[in-house]
Amino acid sequence: MSNPLLEIRHLSVEFPSQQEIVSAVKDVSFTLALGETLGIVGESGSGKSVTSLSIMGLLPPQARVTGEVLLSNPQNPNASPINLLTLPDSQRRRYRGGQISMIFQEPLTSLNPVYTCGDQVVEAILLHNAVSYKEAYRKAIALFDEVKLPDAKGMMKRYPHQLSGGQQQRVTIAIALSGNPAVLIADEPTTALDVTIQATILDLLRELRDARGMSILFITHDMGVIAEIGDRVVVMFRGEAVETADVYSLFANPQHPYTQALLNCRPRPHRQLKRLPTVADFMQITTTAAGKLEIQPVTRDRDKRNALAEVTTEEIQQHRQNLLQQQPLLSVRHLIKEFPLRQGWFGKKTAFKAVDDVSFDVYPGETLGLVGESGCGKSTLSRCLLRLIEPTSGEVIFDGDSVLELDGGRMRRLRRYMQIIFQDPYGSLDARQSIGSALIEPMKIHQLGGTQQQRQQRAAELLERVGLPKSAMNRMPHEFSGGQRQRICIARTLACEPRFIICDESVSALDVSVQAQVLNLLKDLQKDFGLTYIFISHDLSVVKFVSDRIMVMNQGRIEEIGPAEEIYNNPTKEYTRQLIAAIPDSELEDIQARQSKRRLMLAE
């Protein structure tokens, strides 16, 4: 993989505004060889996606792009490479989608909702190939077969909303392959997918790369994913490429403190830490008078080492024993939620059971992890517990009260103690309401906090408690990052002084280091306020870190429930074993084995 197919030289991207010039990418250089998978990793704002959009020529007109993007012809390696940045739009369009294609993070927004999936693939084929419509239709069916969509002919007539997330992503991959590209850019293609669907998409991309001799530029913030698919890695931080290495060397001996932080922030199922490391544990960032970043590695003192120590088996068992000796705070018995269906225009009515005869207990101070794939009934169950949707039948007992029998007034008073944190923090906040108003509003509803001045003081204290300054009170939701907005949602939940909180995929949309900060925060708040959690996620490694017990759901029913380490180490159900097997593997021995196998294949 020595001959570069794509070479980026001193790429810089600036976005001018009225106040300042934002440098999104700063003098980045790397190469991509034929048949290679190069990972670009980093958090939101690191410049990953801007780099890929620069290569594709998809940046807005006001962007200032300098440097070189050199693309070689794999059929004629002796020809001089073409600098895509110097081409006019009319010529560059011939390369975009043909020689270089791109898969985006959210498949549903990448597809046109008013056209069938088949029409969209046929359109791409006709754009890049001189073939008839009939031949393009045949090629589209072949592409659907190649990306392993079930019933390829039937899929041609279906609309994007009729497909699952994994199937939608396979359609976008088929569109990307329609021009037979030499380079495929995959920008966070698995972030929005369940861990099992993510595993199948990674397998598919590997197979397509090897079968087509294609090169892949794989962008992600998940180091576990890049360990599974990458050959080499470029680590980006605030627009700069801070480290480049092959995958094994990067995981075995990371040189830059930011790389060390990324590798350590993600929960590791084989270890149970008291707290997750964060970026601040590995490096200190300062800005010089000239505006240049200076990064200094942090030497951990004894207190920090103790804070990041592992929890012993004896500590885990003693804590669980103390929890189970109490009376349950929440008891659920034979809960069922059905959604009515109608078969045909004059067909009989049927019902779909989203939650099917579910029973379990949650104890005061406990975190019960709830895991399963999309559609298994996790979120429906959580909304039934709070009566955000009405269950069909069953019983929910919270602190002695039968939740399903309460009238409107008593249920409204009870909701003060039963709260929920949703997945999308931006969608949870009113875009026209200041942060201070958002925190004070639940206090007014539940008549908490005393006077208006006392409520404002309480809101400021809550912001500080979740790691935000008091000055955030007067700002609007769009002025904050995703992690900061989720902290605001947590502060608003605490304003009600709850006893029980459902965290519904509350960290799945966050970068790995921000995710670590929020998980640590949730643990601290649980200890300080005596909170009880149900923590919902499809990521078993995250759930294992935060949970005392784990409950696995599949098709509306409970597959198994038990202590977190026992569910992970000794699952009794095949479905649970599949979830565990789908967790990206970043163990050094396995990375080395994969890389050795890859080198042998390339040598052949």
Side-chain angles (χ1 to χ4, degrees), residues 108-158:
L108 192 57
T109 58
S110 302
L111 298 170
N112 192 322
V114 301
Y115 288 96
T116 64
C117 297
D119 285 340
Q120 296 183 61
V121 179
V122 168
E123 179 186 31
I125 293 171
L126 291 173
L127 185 64
H128 297 290
N129 301 272
V131 296
S132 65
Y133 180 88
K134 184 177 180 179
E135 178 64 13
Y137 195 89
R138 187 193 65 77
K139 284 180 175 289
I141 294 175
L143 280 172
F144 278 176
D145 280 326
E146 188 176 7
V147 298
K148 299 182 179 179
L149 277 168
D151 184 21
K153 289 185 179 179
M155 284 289 178
M156 294 287 291
K157 301 175 182 178
R158 299 180 72 179

Side-chain angles (χ1 to χ4, degrees), residues 283-532:
M283 65 185 198
Q284 184 176 4
I285 307 167
T286 57
T287 305
T288 65
K292 183 175 177 57
L293 292 179
E294 287 190 348
I295 298 172
Q296 297 294 331
V298 172
T299 303
R300 296 185 194 171
D301 57 27
R302 181 176 299 176
D303 291 336
K304 285 191 174 181
R305 285 197 296 270
N306 291 337
L308 299 176
E310 293 191 45
V311 185
T312 65
T313 303
E314 292 75 16
E315 289 175 321
I316 294 173
Q317 292 175 347
Q318 183 61 50
H319 178 63
R320 185 185 307 118
Q321 185 177 353
N322 293 338
L323 290 174
L324 300 182
Q325 286 176 349
Q326 307 172 87
Q327 289 295 319
L329 178 65
L330 178 74
S331 294
V332 180
R333 296 290 178 265
H334 308 294
L335 194 68
I336 294 174
K337 176 57 184 176
E338 296 180 342
F339 291 98
L341 300 174
R342 185 186 294 272
Q343 295 181 342
W345 287 103
F346 303 103
K348 64 178 182 179
K349 292 182 179 180
T350 60
F352 168 69
K353 285 188 176 180
V355 177
D356 188 3
D357 195 24
V358 167
S359 300
F360 62 92
D361 293 320
V362 186
Y363 296 88
E366 180 185 27
T367 299
L368 177 66
L370 179 53
V371 298
E373 298 174 286
S374 296
C376 73
K378 306 187 301 294
S379 294
T380 301
L381 172 61
S382 70
R383 285 154 176 76
C384 285
L385 298 181
L386 302 179
R387 283 182 64 185
L388 297 178
I389 56 176
E390 291 291 338
T392 304
S393 62
E395 190 175 26
V396 178
I397 305 296
F398 179 79
D399 197 23
D401 289 323
S402 180
V403 175
L404 304 186
E405 296 178 0
L406 298 179
D407 59 26
R410 293 172 63 197
M411 187 66 223
R412 194 175 301 112
R413 289 192 293 272
L414 182 64
R415 283 209 176 103
R416 168 192 166 185
Y417 302 103
M418 302 176 71
Q419 290 287 306
I420 186 168
I421 304 169
F422 294 101
Q423 177 176 354
D424 180 11
Y426 192 65
S428 301
L429 297 169
D430 187 336
R432 298 171 298 177
Q433 187 178 40
S434 70
I435 301 307
S437 297
L439 296 181
I440 292 171
E441 184 177 47
M443 300 184 206
K444 290 181 179 179
I445 292 173
H446 295 288
Q447 299 179 357
L448 301 172
T451 65
Q452 178 69 10
Q453 185 176 0
Q454 289 172 325
R455 286 170 179 165
Q456 289 178 342
Q457 179 62 29
R458 171 68 173 158
E461 291 172 356
L462 288 172
L463 283 174
E464 289 188 328
R465 186 63 188 81
V466 298
L468 293 174
K470 292 181 180 180
S471 58
M473 290 274 290
N474 299 319
R475 296 166 64 187
M476 306 300 285
H478 72 271
E479 299 180 66
F480 296 89
S481 68
Q484 289 172 327
R485 284 195 288 263
Q486 196 62 286
R487 289 171 181 266
I488 292 166
C489 290
I490 293 171
R492 186 178 60 177
T493 299
L494 294 176
C496 298
E497 300 176 3
R499 298 177 59 193
F500 170 72
I501 299 176
I502 297 175
C503 304
D504 189 2
E505 298 278 10
S506 55
V507 298
S508 62
L510 304 179
D511 288 326
V512 62
S513 71
V514 179
Q515 174 181 274
Q517 294 170 15
V518 173
L519 290 175
N520 289 338
L521 173 63
L522 289 172
K523 280 202 162 191
D524 291 341
L525 295 173
Q526 182 176 47
K527 181 179 178 181
D528 295 344
F529 294 97
L531 299 173
T532 303

Side-chain angles (χ1 to χ4, degrees), residues 102 105 134 170 185 232 278 350 360 376 428 502 542 580:
M102 190 166 181
Q105 177 176 347
K134 184 177 180 179
R170 289 172 188 269
I185 300 175
R232 289 188 304 121
T278 64
T350 60
F360 62 92
C376 73
S428 301
I502 297 175
V542 170
I580 294 170

Side-chain angles (χ1 to χ4, degrees), residues 57-76:
L58 295 176
L59 290 174
Q62 66 268 27
R64 299 174 184 170
V65 184
T66 58
E68 294 179 293
V69 176
L70 303 177
L71 178 66
S72 299
N73 186 346
Q75 279 75 41
N76 186 7

Side-chain angles (χ1 to χ4, degrees), residues 268-272 310-311 313 316-317 320 540-541 544 548 550 552 560 562-573 576-577 579-581 583 587:
R268 297 188 180 184
H270 300 294
R271 300 178 63 194
Q272 187 63 38
E310 293 191 45
V311 185
T313 303
I316 294 173
Q317 292 175 347
R320 185 185 307 118
L540 199 58
S541 59
K544 182 179 180 295
D548 300 299
I550 293 177
V552 182
E560 58 182 311
E565 65 277 4
E566 290 184 17
I567 292 291
Y568 181 79
N569 295 322
N570 300 296
T572 60
K573 302 290 185 176
T576 310
R577 287 192 282 269
L579 288 179
I580 294 170
I583 298 174
E587 296 298 317

